[in-house]
Amino acid sequence: MCQHQPQCPPSESADREAARVTAHHPEQGWSLLCNGVLLFEDTGELLPDGRAIAPAWRGATVEAA
């Protein structure tokens, strides 16, 4: 998919978010990366194969009831 040199990381790799932005829509809260990943403002992701990656809630704590 990527035509850049060096190529952007593939959507399956851990560093997939380092790919170049090809479309940015801040008013809608998302960006399309060169590797086909949809990156959402809340840090969630939608991969090209349809898998969803939940947002990374840094600093959040969950208390058991």
Side-chain angles (χ1 to χ4, degrees):
M1 186 177 279
C2 178
Q3 302 299 317
H4 303 110
Q5 291 300 324
Q7 288 191 336
C8 292
S11 62
E12 302 84 25
S13 70
D15 63 344
R16 63 184 158 260
E17 296 169 7
R20 291 187 189 186
V21 173
T22 59
H24 182 61
H25 292 276
E27 72 281 1
Q28 296 176 357
W30 61 271
S31 296
L32 176 63
L33 304 182
C34 183
N35 56 9
V37 172
L38 274 174
L39 183 60
F40 296 98
E41 188 175 82
D42 68 356
T43 71
E45 301 173 22
L46 184 60
L47 304 183
D49 64 4
R51 288 183 293 149
I53 307 296
W57 297 100
R58 296 181 184 97
T61 59
V62 177
E63 297 182 24

